[in-house]
C-alpha cells in the first residue's frame, strides 16, 4: 500500500470513529508553517471541522525554528485521550518542517505520522468526509392529516437509510398547502435513538398542489432538492416552524366546475391578457381543489355581419376536463389566436356573448354535486335579440342573452363571475349581470384568489401550513 493510500485509509478510519467526545486532530507541517485541522461529529452525526493556520515560521529560511516556534507548534496540537492525532509532513527536506515533525512525534508518540511531498491534506479530508456512508438515516419532515378528525400530525418521509453513500437519490410525493410569506419549509432530519435532529432547512414559495421532489445526497450533512422552483436555504427555526402548525386542517371547498368563457376578438394584447387571467384562475383554484376541479374552456369571438364571411362558432375547447388538460388547451388556443388574429376581429360594437351563454346552457349536465361557476372574460356586450336603441346590431340568430342568463340562473349551485376590460363605471347592465357574484376589471390588479373565494370555489379563510403534507394511505 502506498503512502498516499495509507494516509487516506487512516483518515477514513479516524473519521468513522468520530462520535461523542471522540475527536480527530490532523497537523500538516509544511514549508510555510503548521496548519491544524480539528474534526468532530455534530448532533446530526455529520463530520464537521475547520482548518486553522497556527504557526508561520518566524526565522529566516536557512535557520531552524527557534524556541518560540517550538512552543507554538506544541501548543497548537494539544490532544486529550479521546483524540486521534495524525501528523503529516508535506515538505520533506525542509529543515524547519522536519524539525517541527520531530517535536510533534516526541510530544505525541502514539500519533500516526506520514511524510509525503505535495500532499493536500485539506482536499483529502474533504474527500474522505464526502465519501463516508451515512451513520444515521435522513428523513423529510411532513404533516399527515388524520382522515377522521383532520388533525395534523408531524411525521417523516424516508429519504436515505444508514450506510447510504453520496450520489444516491430518493423521490417523494408531497402536497403543498398555502403557506405564509416565507414559504413551505422542507426540513431534513437525522435520526438516532428515536430522536430527530434538524439537519437542514430549505424553503420554497410554491403554488398549492402536488409535487414530486427528488432528494440527492451530495455528501453527509448536505441534501439537494430538485422539482421545487425557487428553493432557498434558511428560514425559520425548527421551534418556530413546529409552533406554526395548526391543530387541524380545515376542510377545503368541495368539487367545483369552473367554466371559463373568454372573448378572443379585439386587440391582440387584450386577448392575451384575458387568456393570462384565465390561466391564473385555473392554476390558483386547481392548486387548492386538485382533482376535485373540473374546467371547461369556451372561446367566443365577434359576429362578422359581412356577406360571404361566416362567423366562427363558439369554440368549446374543453368541457369538464381536468385542470392540467384545460391549461394545455388554453396554450393551444393562444397559439391559434396569434396565428388567426385578423379572423377574430369582426364586429367591434359587441361580441357573441349570447351565443356563448346558449352553448353553455345547452351543455350543462342535469345535476352536479358541487359548485358551478361561469367566469366570463371579455369586453364587448352581448347583441340584443332584435333592433335596439343602443344601435348595437342584433344577434343574427336572434338569441336573447337575458333569457339565457335566466335559464342559467335556474341551474343549481351556479354562480356568475366576470373579468371585463372596461374602466370603472362603464360595465353596463350586461356585465353587471354576468358578474353579479364577482366582478373585476382587467386593468386592475386582479386578486384571483379573492375572486375565487367570492365565487365559492376556494376557502375564504386560508390556513397557513408551514410543512408539506403527505397523503394518508
Amino acid at each position: 500500500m502506498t503512502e498516499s493510500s495509507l494516509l487516506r485509509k487512516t483518515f477514513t478510519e479516524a473519521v468513522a470513529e468520530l462520535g461523542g467526545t471522540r475527536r480527530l486532530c490532523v497537523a500538516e507541517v509544511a514549508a510555510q508553517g503548521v496548519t491544524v485541522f480539528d474534526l468532530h461529529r455534530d448532533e446530526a452525526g455529520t463530520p464537521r471541522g475547520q482548518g486553522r493556520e497556527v504557526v508561520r515560521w518566524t526565522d529566516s529560511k536557512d535557520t531552524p525554528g527557534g524556541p518560540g516556534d517550538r512552543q507554538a507548534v506544541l501548543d497548537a496540537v494539544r490532544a486529550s485521550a479521546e483524540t486521534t492525532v495524525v501528523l503529516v509532513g508535506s515538505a520533506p527536506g525542509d529543515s524547519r518542517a522536519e524539525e517541527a515533525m520531530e517535536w510533534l512525534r516526541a510530544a505525541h508518540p502514539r500519533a500516526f505520522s506520514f511524510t509525503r511531498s505535495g500532499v493536500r491534506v485539506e482536499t483529502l479530508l474533504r474527500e474522505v468526509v464526502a465519501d463516508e456512508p451515512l451513520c444515521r438515516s435522513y428523513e423529510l419532515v411532513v404533516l399527515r392529516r388524520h382522515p377522521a378528525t383532520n388533525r395534523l400530525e408531524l411525521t417523516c418521509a424516508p429519504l436515505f437509510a444508514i450506510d447510504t453513500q453520496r450520489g444516491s437519490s430518493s423521490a417523494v410525493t408531497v402536497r403543498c398547502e398555502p403557506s405564509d410569506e416565507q414559504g413551505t419549509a422542507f426540513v431534513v432530519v437525522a435520526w438516532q435513538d428515536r430522536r430527530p435532529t434538524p439537519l437542514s432547512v430549505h424553503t420554497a414559495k410554491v403554488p398549492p398542489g402536488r409535487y414530486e421532489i427528488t432528494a440527492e445526497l451530495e455528501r453527509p450533512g448536505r441534501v439537494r432538492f430538485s422539482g421545487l422552483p425557487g428553493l432557498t436555504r434558511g428560514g425559520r427555526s425548527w421551534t418556530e416552524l413546529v409552533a406554526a402548525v395548526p391543530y387541524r386542517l380545515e376542510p377545503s371547498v368541495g368539487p367545483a366546475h369552473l367554466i371559463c368563457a373568454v372573448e378572443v376578438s379585439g386587440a391582440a394584447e387584450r386577448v392575451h391578457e384575458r387568456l393570462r387571467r384565465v390561466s391564473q384562475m385555473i392554476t390558483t383554484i386547481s392548486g387548492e381543489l386538485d382533482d376535485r376541479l373540473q374546467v371547461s374552456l369556451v372561446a367566443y369571438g365577434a359576429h362578422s355581419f359581412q356577406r360571404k364571411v361566416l362567423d366562427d362558432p363558439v369554440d368549446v375547447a374543453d368541457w369538464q376536463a381536468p385542470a392540467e388538460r384545460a391549461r394545455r388547451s388554453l396554450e393551444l388556443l393562444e397559439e391559434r389566436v396569434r396565428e388567426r388574429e385578423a379572423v377574430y376581429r369582426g364586429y367591434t360594437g359587441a361580441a357573441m356573448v349570447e351565443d356563448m351563454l346558449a352553448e353553455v346552457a345547452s351543455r350543462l349536465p342535469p345535476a352536479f354535486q358541487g359548485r358551478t361557476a361561469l367566469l366570463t372574460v371579455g369586453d364587448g356586450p352581448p347583441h340584443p335579440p332584435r333592433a335596439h336603441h343602443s344601435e348595437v346590431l342584433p344577434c343574427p340568430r336572434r338569441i336573447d342573452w337575458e333569457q339565457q342568463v335566466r335559464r342559467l340562473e335556474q341551474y343549481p349551485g351556479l354562480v356568475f363571475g366576470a373579468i371585463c376590460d372596461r374602466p370603472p363605471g362603464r360595465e353596463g347592465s350586461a356585465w353587471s349581470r354576468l358578474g353579479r357574484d364577482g366582478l373585476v376589471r382587467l386593468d386592475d390588479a386582479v386578486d384571483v384568489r379573492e375572486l375565487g373565494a367570492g365565487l365559492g370555489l376556494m376557502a375564504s379563510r386560508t390556513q397557513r401550513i408551514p410543512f408539506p403534507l403527505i397523503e394518508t394511505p
Side-chain angles (χ1 to χ4, degrees), residues 13-25 39-41 80-85 110 112:
E13 292 176 351
V15 168
E17 292 173 355
L18 294 176
T21 59
R22 194 74 187 175
R23 299 289 190 272
L24 170 61
C25 176
L39 283 83
H40 66 283
R41 203 175 290 278
S80 67
E82 296 295 315
T83 302
T84 300
V85 178
R110 301 180 61 184
F112 297 94

mmCIF file with all atom_site columns, all heavy atoms in Angstrom, residues 13-25 39-41 80-85 110 112:
data_model
loop_
_atom_site.group_PDB
_atom_site.id
_atom_site.type_symbol
_atom_site.label_atom_id
_atom_site.label_alt_id
_atom_site.label_comp_id
_atom_site.label_asym_id
_atom_site.label_entity_id
_atom_site.label_seq_id
_atom_site.pdbx_PDB_ins_code
_atom_site.Cartn_x
_atom_site.Cartn_y
_atom_site.Cartn_z
_atom_site.occupancy
_atom_site.B_iso_or_equiv
_atom_site.pdbx_formal_charge
_atom_site.auth_seq_id
_atom_site.auth_comp_id
_atom_site.auth_asym_id
_atom_site.auth_atom_id
_atom_site.pdbx_PDB_model_num
ATOM 1   N N   . GLU A 1 13  ? -10.643 5.769  8.601  1.00 0.00 ? 13  GLU A N   1
ATOM 2   C CA  . GLU A 1 13  ? -10.913 5.050  9.857  1.00 0.00 ? 13  GLU A CA  1
ATOM 3   C C   . GLU A 1 13  ? -11.078 6.030  11.006 1.00 0.00 ? 13  GLU A C   1
ATOM 4   O O   . GLU A 1 13  ? -11.947 5.831  11.874 1.00 0.00 ? 13  GLU A O   1
ATOM 5   C CB  . GLU A 1 13  ? -9.779  4.073  10.135 1.00 0.00 ? 13  GLU A CB  1
ATOM 6   C CG  . GLU A 1 13  ? -9.718  2.912  9.144  1.00 0.00 ? 13  GLU A CG  1
ATOM 7   C CD  . GLU A 1 13  ? -8.526  2.010  9.388  1.00 0.00 ? 13  GLU A CD  1
ATOM 8   O OE1 . GLU A 1 13  ? -7.647  2.382  10.209 1.00 0.00 ? 13  GLU A OE1 1
ATOM 9   O OE2 . GLU A 1 13  ? -8.456  0.931  8.755  1.00 0.00 ? 13  GLU A OE2 1
ATOM 10  N N   . ALA A 1 14  ? -10.282 7.091  11.030 1.00 0.00 ? 14  ALA A N   1
ATOM 11  C CA  . ALA A 1 14  ? -10.391 8.067  12.115 1.00 0.00 ? 14  ALA A CA  1
ATOM 12  C C   . ALA A 1 14  ? -11.712 8.826  12.052 1.00 0.00 ? 14  ALA A C   1
ATOM 13  O O   . ALA A 1 14  ? -12.343 9.089  13.085 1.00 0.00 ? 14  ALA A O   1
ATOM 14  C CB  . ALA A 1 14  ? -9.216  9.040  12.060 1.00 0.00 ? 14  ALA A CB  1
ATOM 15  N N   . VAL A 1 15  ? -12.160 9.177  10.840 1.00 0.00 ? 15  VAL A N   1
ATOM 16  C CA  . VAL A 1 15  ? -13.451 9.873  10.699 1.00 0.00 ? 15  VAL A CA  1
ATOM 17  C C   . VAL A 1 15  ? -14.591 8.952  11.105 1.00 0.00 ? 15  VAL A C   1
ATOM 18  O O   . VAL A 1 15  ? -15.556 9.373  11.759 1.00 0.00 ? 15  VAL A O   1
ATOM 19  C CB  . VAL A 1 15  ? -13.625 10.370 9.248  1.00 0.00 ? 15  VAL A CB  1
ATOM 20  C CG1 . VAL A 1 15  ? -15.069 10.837 9.014  1.00 0.00 ? 15  VAL A CG1 1
ATOM 21  C CG2 . VAL A 1 15  ? -12.656 11.500 8.940  1.00 0.00 ? 15  VAL A CG2 1
ATOM 22  N N   . ALA A 1 16  ? -14.504 7.660  10.746 1.00 0.00 ? 16  ALA A N   1
ATOM 23  C CA  . ALA A 1 16  ? -15.550 6.710  11.117 1.00 0.00 ? 16  ALA A CA  1
ATOM 24  C C   . ALA A 1 16  ? -15.667 6.552  12.626 1.00 0.00 ? 16  ALA A C   1
ATOM 25  O O   . ALA A 1 16  ? -16.746 6.249  13.149 1.00 0.00 ? 16  ALA A O   1
ATOM 26  C CB  . ALA A 1 16  ? -15.270 5.358  10.466 1.00 0.00 ? 16  ALA A CB  1
ATOM 27  N N   . GLU A 1 17  ? -14.570 6.755  13.358 1.00 0.00 ? 17  GLU A N   1
ATOM 28  C CA  . GLU A 1 17  ? -14.577 6.596  14.814 1.00 0.00 ? 17  GLU A CA  1
ATOM 29  C C   . GLU A 1 17  ? -15.090 7.834  15.545 1.00 0.00 ? 17  GLU A C   1
ATOM 30  O O   . GLU A 1 17  ? -15.299 7.786  16.764 1.00 0.00 ? 17  GLU A O   1
ATOM 31  C CB  . GLU A 1 17  ? -13.161 6.271  15.303 1.00 0.00 ? 17  GLU A CB  1
ATOM 32  C CG  . GLU A 1 17  ? -12.662 4.897  14.861 1.00 0.00 ? 17  GLU A CG  1
ATOM 33  C CD  . GLU A 1 17  ? -11.203 4.673  15.220 1.00 0.00 ? 17  GLU A CD  1
ATOM 34  O OE1 . GLU A 1 17  ? -10.569 5.629  15.733 1.00 0.00 ? 17  GLU A OE1 1
ATOM 35  O OE2 . GLU A 1 17  ? -10.693 3.569  14.989 1.00 0.00 ? 17  GLU A OE2 1
ATOM 36  N N   . LEU A 1 18  ? -15.299 8.927  14.819 1.00 0.00 ? 18  LEU A N   1
ATOM 37  C CA  . LEU A 1 18  ? -15.786 10.148 15.473 1.00 0.00 ? 18  LEU A CA  1
ATOM 38  C C   . LEU A 1 18  ? -17.166 9.921  16.074 1.00 0.00 ? 18  LEU A C   1
ATOM 39  O O   . LEU A 1 18  ? -17.991 9.214  15.513 1.00 0.00 ? 18  LEU A O   1
ATOM 40  C CB  . LEU A 1 18  ? -15.851 11.307 14.474 1.00 0.00 ? 18  LEU A CB  1
ATOM 41  C CG  . LEU A 1 18  ? -14.529 11.815 13.892 1.00 0.00 ? 18  LEU A CG  1
ATOM 42  C CD1 . LEU A 1 18  ? -14.806 12.888 12.851 1.00 0.00 ? 18  LEU A CD1 1
ATOM 43  C CD2 . LEU A 1 18  ? -13.629 12.352 14.990 1.00 0.00 ? 18  LEU A CD2 1
ATOM 44  N N   . GLY A 1 19  ? -17.421 10.579 17.179 1.00 0.00 ? 19  GLY A N   1
ATOM 45  C CA  . GLY A 1 19  ? -18.710 10.457 17.850 1.00 0.00 ? 19  GLY A CA  1
ATOM 46  C C   . GLY A 1 19  ? -18.552 10.726 19.318 1.00 0.00 ? 19  GLY A C   1
ATOM 47  O O   . GLY A 1 19  ? -17.522 10.376 19.918 1.00 0.00 ? 19  GLY A O   1
ATOM 48  N N   . GLY A 1 20  ? -19.563 11.339 19.919 1.00 0.00 ? 20  GLY A N   1
ATOM 49  C CA  . GLY A 1 20  ? -19.464 11.664 21.341 1.00 0.00 ? 20  GLY A CA  1
ATOM 50  C C   . GLY A 1 20  ? -18.323 12.641 21.579 1.00 0.00 ? 20  GLY A C   1
ATOM 51  O O   . GLY A 1 20  ? -18.258 13.710 20.975 1.00 0.00 ? 20  GLY A O   1
ATOM 52  N N   . THR A 1 21  ? -17.390 12.257 22.457 1.00 0.00 ? 21  THR A N   1
ATOM 53  C CA  . THR A 1 21  ? -16.234 13.114 22.746 1.00 0.00 ? 21  THR A CA  1
ATOM 54  C C   . THR A 1 21  ? -15.030 12.786 21.873 1.00 0.00 ? 21  THR A C   1
ATOM 55  O O   . THR A 1 21  ? -13.963 13.372 22.037 1.00 0.00 ? 21  THR A O   1
ATOM 56  C CB  . THR A 1 21  ? -15.837 12.977 24.228 1.00 0.00 ? 21  THR A CB  1
ATOM 57  O OG1 . THR A 1 21  ? -15.515 11.604 24.507 1.00 0.00 ? 21  THR A OG1 1
ATOM 58  C CG2 . THR A 1 21  ? -16.975 13.418 25.139 1.00 0.00 ? 21  THR A CG2 1
ATOM 59  N N   . ARG A 1 22  ? -15.200 11.839 20.967 1.00 0.00 ? 22  ARG A N   1
ATOM 60  C CA  . ARG A 1 22  ? -14.089 11.441 20.116 1.00 0.00 ? 22  ARG A CA  1
ATOM 61  C C   . ARG A 1 22  ? -13.800 12.532 19.093 1.00 0.00 ? 22  ARG A C   1
ATOM 62  O O   . ARG A 1 22  ? -14.706 13.073 18.444 1.00 0.00 ? 22  ARG A O   1
ATOM 63  C CB  . ARG A 1 22  ? -14.431 10.138 19.386 1.00 0.00 ? 22  ARG A CB  1
ATOM 64  C CG  . ARG A 1 22  ? -13.230 9.461  18.729 1.00 0.00 ? 22  ARG A CG  1
ATOM 65  C CD  . ARG A 1 22  ? -12.347 8.819  19.769 1.00 0.00 ? 22  ARG A CD  1
ATOM 66  N NE  . ARG A 1 22  ? -11.117 8.314  19.172 1.00 0.00 ? 22  ARG A NE  1
ATOM 67  C CZ  . ARG A 1 22  ? -10.124 7.794  19.887 1.00 0.00 ? 22  ARG A CZ  1
ATOM 68  N NH1 . ARG A 1 22  ? -10.235 7.708  21.205 1.00 0.00 ? 22  ARG A NH1 1
ATOM 69  N NH2 . ARG A 1 22  ? -9.039  7.362  19.295 1.00 0.00 ? 22  ARG A NH2 1
ATOM 70  N N   . ARG A 1 23  ? -12.489 12.888 18.935 1.00 0.00 ? 23  ARG A N   1
ATOM 71  C CA  . ARG A 1 23  ? -12.070 13.933 18.025 1.00 0.00 ? 23  ARG A CA  1
ATOM 72  C C   . ARG A 1 23  ? -10.946 13.432 17.120 1.00 0.00 ? 23  ARG A C   1
ATOM 73  O O   . ARG A 1 23  ? -10.306 12.417 17.414 1.00 0.00 ? 23  ARG A O   1
ATOM 74  C CB  . ARG A 1 23  ? -11.558 15.169 18.799 1.00 0.00 ? 23  ARG A CB  1
ATOM 75  C CG  . ARG A 1 23  ? -12.587 15.821 19.713 1.00 0.00 ? 23  ARG A CG  1
ATOM 76  C CD  . ARG A 1 23  ? -13.654 16.540 18.881 1.00 0.00 ? 23  ARG A CD  1
ATOM 77  N NE  . ARG A 1 23  ? -14.523 17.355 19.684 1.00 0.00 ? 23  ARG A NE  1
ATOM 78  C CZ  . ARG A 1 23  ? -15.633 16.942 20.273 1.00 0.00 ? 23  ARG A CZ  1
ATOM 79  N NH1 . ARG A 1 23  ? -15.993 15.654 20.134 1.00 0.00 ? 23  ARG A NH1 1
ATOM 80  N NH2 . ARG A 1 23  ? -16.378 17.754 20.982 1.00 0.00 ? 23  ARG A NH2 1
ATOM 81  N N   . LEU A 1 24  ? -10.736 14.179 16.025 1.00 0.00 ? 24  LEU A N   1
ATOM 82  C CA  . LEU A 1 24  ? -9.619  13.923 15.136 1.00 0.00 ? 24  LEU A CA  1
ATOM 83  C C   . LEU A 1 24  ? -8.851  15.218 14.970 1.00 0.00 ? 24  LEU A C   1
ATOM 84  O O   . LEU A 1 24  ? -9.433  16.262 14.640 1.00 0.00 ? 24  LEU A O   1
ATOM 85  C CB  . LEU A 1 24  ? -10.107 13.429 13.769 1.00 0.00 ? 24  LEU A CB  1
ATOM 86  C CG  . LEU A 1 24  ? -9.048  13.355 12.655 1.00 0.00 ? 24  LEU A CG  1
ATOM 87  C CD1 . LEU A 1 24  ? -7.930  12.384 13.031 1.00 0.00 ? 24  LEU A CD1 1
ATOM 88  C CD2 . LEU A 1 24  ? -9.689  12.959 11.318 1.00 0.00 ? 24  LEU A CD2 1
ATOM 89  N N   . CYS A 1 25  ? -7.535  15.165 15.198 1.00 0.00 ? 25  CYS A N   1
ATOM 90  C CA  . CYS A 1 25  ? -6.672  16.322 15.044 1.00 0.00 ? 25  CYS A CA  1
ATOM 91  C C   . CYS A 1 25  ? -5.587  15.968 14.022 1.00 0.00 ? 25  CYS A C   1
ATOM 92  O O   . CYS A 1 25  ? -4.823  15.020 14.220 1.00 0.00 ? 25  CYS A O   1
ATOM 93  C CB  . CYS A 1 25  ? -6.036  16.716 16.383 1.00 0.00 ? 25  CYS A CB  1
ATOM 94  S SG  . CYS A 1 25  ? -4.866  18.085 16.264 1.00 0.00 ? 25  CYS A SG  1
ATOM 95  N N   . LEU A 1 39  ? -11.558 17.933 13.743 1.00 0.00 ? 39  LEU A N   1
ATOM 96  C CA  . LEU A 1 39  ? -12.823 17.356 13.287 1.00 0.00 ? 39  LEU A CA  1
ATOM 97  C C   . LEU A 1 39  ? -13.559 16.706 14.447 1.00 0.00 ? 39  LEU A C   1
ATOM 98  O O   . LEU A 1 39  ? -12.938 16.119 15.343 1.00 0.00 ? 39  LEU A O   1
ATOM 99  C CB  . LEU A 1 39  ? -12.596 16.317 12.182 1.00 0.00 ? 39  LEU A CB  1
ATOM 100 C CG  . LEU A 1 39  ? -12.291 16.857 10.777 1.00 0.00 ? 39  LEU A CG  1
ATOM 101 C CD1 . LEU A 1 39  ? -10.808 17.199 10.651 1.00 0.00 ? 39  LEU A CD1 1
ATOM 102 C CD2 . LEU A 1 39  ? -12.699 15.855 9.713  1.00 0.00 ? 39  LEU A CD2 1
ATOM 103 N N   . HIS A 1 40  ? -14.898 16.806 14.387 1.00 0.00 ? 40  HIS A N   1
ATOM 104 C CA  . HIS A 1 40  ? -15.766 16.153 15.353 1.00 0.00 ? 40  HIS A CA  1
ATOM 105 C C   . HIS A 1 40  ? -17.063 15.804 14.643 1.00 0.00 ? 40  HIS A C   1
ATOM 106 O O   . HIS A 1 40  ? -17.265 16.153 13.481 1.00 0.00 ? 40  HIS A O   1
ATOM 107 C CB  . HIS A 1 40  ? -16.053 17.074 16.551 1.00 0.00 ? 40  HIS A CB  1
ATOM 108 C CG  . HIS A 1 40  ? -16.856 18.288 16.176 1.00 0.00 ? 40  HIS A CG  1
ATOM 109 N ND1 . HIS A 1 40  ? -16.303 19.384 15.526 1.00 0.00 ? 40  HIS A ND1 1
ATOM 110 C CD2 . HIS A 1 40  ? -18.181 18.569 16.332 1.00 0.00 ? 40  HIS A CD2 1
ATOM 111 C CE1 . HIS A 1 40  ? -17.247 20.286 15.304 1.00 0.00 ? 40  HIS A CE1 1
ATOM 112 N NE2 . HIS A 1 40  ? -18.390 19.819 15.779 1.00 0.00 ? 40  HIS A NE2 1
ATOM 113 N N   . ARG A 1 41  ? -17.956 15.132 15.312 1.00 0.00 ? 41  ARG A N   1
ATOM 114 C CA  . ARG A 1 41  ? -19.259 14.788 14.735 1.00 0.00 ? 41  ARG A CA  1
ATOM 115 C C   . ARG A 1 41  ? -20.326 15.598 15.459 1.00 0.00 ? 41  ARG A C   1
ATOM 116 O O   . ARG A 1 41  ? -20.384 15.592 16.693 1.00 0.00 ? 41  ARG A O   1
ATOM 117 C CB  . ARG A 1 41  ? -19.519 13.288 14.876 1.00 0.00 ? 41  ARG A CB  1
ATOM 118 C CG  . ARG A 1 41  ? -20.528 12.741 13.860 1.00 0.00 ? 41  ARG A CG  1
ATOM 119 C CD  . ARG A 1 41  ? -20.657 11.226 13.954 1.00 0.00 ? 41  ARG A CD  1
ATOM 120 N NE  . ARG A 1 41  ? -19.491 10.505 13.480 1.00 0.00 ? 41  ARG A NE  1
ATOM 121 C CZ  . ARG A 1 41  ? -19.238 10.244 12.214 1.00 0.00 ? 41  ARG A CZ  1
ATOM 122 N NH1 . ARG A 1 41  ? -20.066 10.659 11.276 1.00 0.00 ? 41  ARG A NH1 1
ATOM 123 N NH2 . ARG A 1 41  ? -18.162 9.555  11.871 1.00 0.00 ? 41  ARG A NH2 1
ATOM 124 N N   . SER A 1 80  ? -6.543  15.355 23.859 1.00 0.00 ? 80  SER A N   1
ATOM 125 C CA  . SER A 1 80  ? -6.930  14.529 25.005 1.00 0.00 ? 80  SER A CA  1
ATOM 126 C C   . SER A 1 80  ? -6.795  13.061 24.632 1.00 0.00 ? 80  SER A C   1
ATOM 127 O O   . SER A 1 80  ? -6.453  12.708 23.501 1.00 0.00 ? 80  SER A O   1
ATOM 128 C CB  . SER A 1 80  ? -8.377  14.838 25.394 1.00 0.00 ? 80  SER A CB  1
ATOM 129 O OG  . SER A 1 80  ? -9.251  14.413 24.355 1.00 0.00 ? 80  SER A OG  1
ATOM 130 N N   . ALA A 1 81  ? -7.091  12.192 25.609 1.00 0.00 ? 81  ALA A N   1
ATOM 131 C CA  . ALA A 1 81  ? -7.008  10.752 25.359 1.00 0.00 ? 81  ALA A CA  1
ATOM 132 C C   . ALA A 1 81  ? -8.047  10.306 24.343 1.00 0.00 ? 81  ALA A C   1
ATOM 133 O O   . ALA A 1 81  ? -7.914  9.229  23.748 1.00 0.00 ? 81  ALA A O   1
ATOM 134 C CB  . ALA A 1 81  ? -7.193  9.996  26.669 1.00 0.00 ? 81  ALA A CB  1
ATOM 135 N N   . GLU A 1 82  ? -9.111  11.119 24.112 1.00 0.00 ? 82  GLU A N   1
ATOM 136 C CA  . GLU A 1 82  ? -10.176 10.785 23.165 1.00 0.00 ? 82  GLU A CA  1
ATOM 137 C C   . GLU A 1 82  ? -9.911  11.344 21.765 1.00 0.00 ? 82  GLU A C   1
ATOM 138 O O   . GLU A 1 82  ? -10.805 11.333 20.920 1.00 0.00 ? 82  GLU A O   1
ATOM 139 C CB  . GLU A 1 82  ? -11.522 11.334 23.665 1.00 0.00 ? 82  GLU A CB  1
ATOM 140 C CG  . GLU A 1 82  ? -11.999 10.709 24.963 1.00 0.00 ? 82  GLU A CG  1
ATOM 141 C CD  . GLU A 1 82  ? -12.302 9.234  24.798 1.00 0.00 ? 82  GLU A CD  1
ATOM 142 O OE1 . GLU A 1 82  ? -12.947 8.873  23.796 1.00 0.00 ? 82  GLU A OE1 1
ATOM 143 O OE2 . GLU A 1 82  ? -11.871 8.448  25.645 1.00 0.00 ? 82  GLU A OE2 1
ATOM 144 N N   . THR A 1 83  ? -8.715  11.828 21.527 1.00 0.00 ? 83  THR A N   1
ATOM 145 C CA  . THR A 1 83  ? -8.387  12.444 20.239 1.00 0.00 ? 83  THR A CA  1
ATOM 146 C C   . THR A 1 83  ? -7.377  11.596 19.475 1.00 0.00 ? 83  THR A C   1
ATOM 147 O O   . THR A 1 83  ? -6.341  11.194 20.017 1.00 0.00 ? 83  THR A O   1
ATOM 148 C CB  . THR A 1 83  ? -7.811  13.851 20.434 1.00 0.00 ? 83  THR A CB  1
ATOM 149 O OG1 . THR A 1 83  ? -8.755  14.665 21.142 1.00 0.00 ? 83  THR A OG1 1
ATOM 150 C CG2 . THR A 1 83  ? -7.509  14.505 19.093 1.00 0.00 ? 83  THR A CG2 1
ATOM 151 N N   . THR A 1 84  ? -7.714  11.332 18.218 1.00 0.00 ? 84  THR A N   1
ATOM 152 C CA  . THR A 1 84  ? -6.764  10.672 17.316 1.00 0.00 ? 84  THR A CA  1
ATOM 153 C C   . THR A 1 84  ? -5.919  11.759 16.656 1.00 0.00 ? 84  THR A C   1
ATOM 154 O O   . THR A 1 84  ? -6.458  12.696 16.065 1.00 0.00 ? 84  THR A O   1
ATOM 155 C CB  . THR A 1 84  ? -7.506  9.862  16.241 1.00 0.00 ? 84  THR A CB  1
ATOM 156 O OG1 . THR A 1 84  ? -8.303  8.861  16.864 1.00 0.00 ? 84  THR A OG1 1
ATOM 157 C CG2 . THR A 1 84  ? -6.518  9.207  15.289 1.00 0.00 ? 84  THR A CG2 1
ATOM 158 N N   . VAL A 1 85  ? -4.615  11.626 16.749 1.00 0.00 ? 85  VAL A N   1
ATOM 159 C CA  . VAL A 1 85  ? -3.700  12.620 16.192 1.00 0.00 ? 85  VAL A CA  1
ATOM 160 C C   . VAL A 1 85  ? -3.000  12.022 14.967 1.00 0.00 ? 85  VAL A C   1
ATOM 161 O O   . VAL A 1 85  ? -2.485  10.906 15.013 1.00 0.00 ? 85  VAL A O   1
ATOM 162 C CB  . VAL A 1 85  ? -2.658  13.073 17.228 1.00 0.00 ? 85  VAL A CB  1
ATOM 163 C CG1 . VAL A 1 85  ? -1.688  14.077 16.604 1.00 0.00 ? 85  VAL A CG1 1
ATOM 164 C CG2 . VAL A 1 85  ? -3.342  13.680 18.446 1.00 0.00 ? 85  VAL A CG2 1
ATOM 165 N N   . ARG A 1 110 ? 2.011   8.294  20.169 1.00 0.00 ? 110 ARG A N   1
ATOM 166 C CA  . ARG A 1 110 ? 1.011   7.361  19.649 1.00 0.00 ? 110 ARG A CA  1
ATOM 167 C C   . ARG A 1 110 ? 0.329   7.885  18.376 1.00 0.00 ? 110 ARG A C   1
ATOM 168 O O   . ARG A 1 110 ? -0.566  7.249  17.844 1.00 0.00 ? 110 ARG A O   1
ATOM 169 C CB  . ARG A 1 110 ? -0.051  7.093  20.716 1.00 0.00 ? 110 ARG A CB  1
ATOM 170 C CG  . ARG A 1 110 ? 0.526   6.494  22.002 1.00 0.00 ? 110 ARG A CG  1
ATOM 171 C CD  . ARG A 1 110 ? -0.552  6.247  23.036 1.00 0.00 ? 110 ARG A CD  1
ATOM 172 N NE  . ARG A 1 110 ? -1.553  5.319  22.563 1.00 0.00 ? 110 ARG A NE  1
ATOM 173 C CZ  . ARG A 1 110 ? -2.651  4.989  23.246 1.00 0.00 ? 110 ARG A CZ  1
ATOM 174 N NH1 . ARG A 1 110 ? -2.868  5.549  24.434 1.00 0.00 ? 110 ARG A NH1 1
ATOM 175 N NH2 . ARG A 1 110 ? -3.508  4.123  22.752 1.00 0.00 ? 110 ARG A NH2 1
ATOM 176 N N   . PHE A 1 112 ? -0.279  8.922  14.490 1.00 0.00 ? 112 PHE A N   1
ATOM 177 C CA  . PHE A 1 112 ? 0.062   8.410  13.163 1.00 0.00 ? 112 PHE A CA  1
ATOM 178 C C   . PHE A 1 112 ? 0.915   9.473  12.465 1.00 0.00 ? 112 PHE A C   1
ATOM 179 O O   . PHE A 1 112 ? 0.570   10.662 12.488 1.00 0.00 ? 112 PHE A O   1
ATOM 180 C CB  . PHE A 1 112 ? -1.195  8.124  12.344 1.00 0.00 ? 112 PHE A CB  1
ATOM 181 C CG  . PHE A 1 112 ? -2.070  7.051  12.918 1.00 0.00 ? 112 PHE A CG  1
ATOM 182 C CD1 . PHE A 1 112 ? -3.130  7.368  13.758 1.00 0.00 ? 112 PHE A CD1 1
ATOM 183 C CD2 . PHE A 1 112 ? -1.812  5.714  12.633 1.00 0.00 ? 112 PHE A CD2 1
ATOM 184 C CE1 . PHE A 1 112 ? -3.930  6.382  14.287 1.00 0.00 ? 112 PHE A CE1 1
ATOM 185 C CE2 . PHE A 1 112 ? -2.623  4.712  13.159 1.00 0.00 ? 112 PHE A CE2 1
ATOM 186 C CZ  . PHE A 1 112 ? -3.675  5.043  14.002 1.00 0.00 ? 112 PHE A CZ  1
#
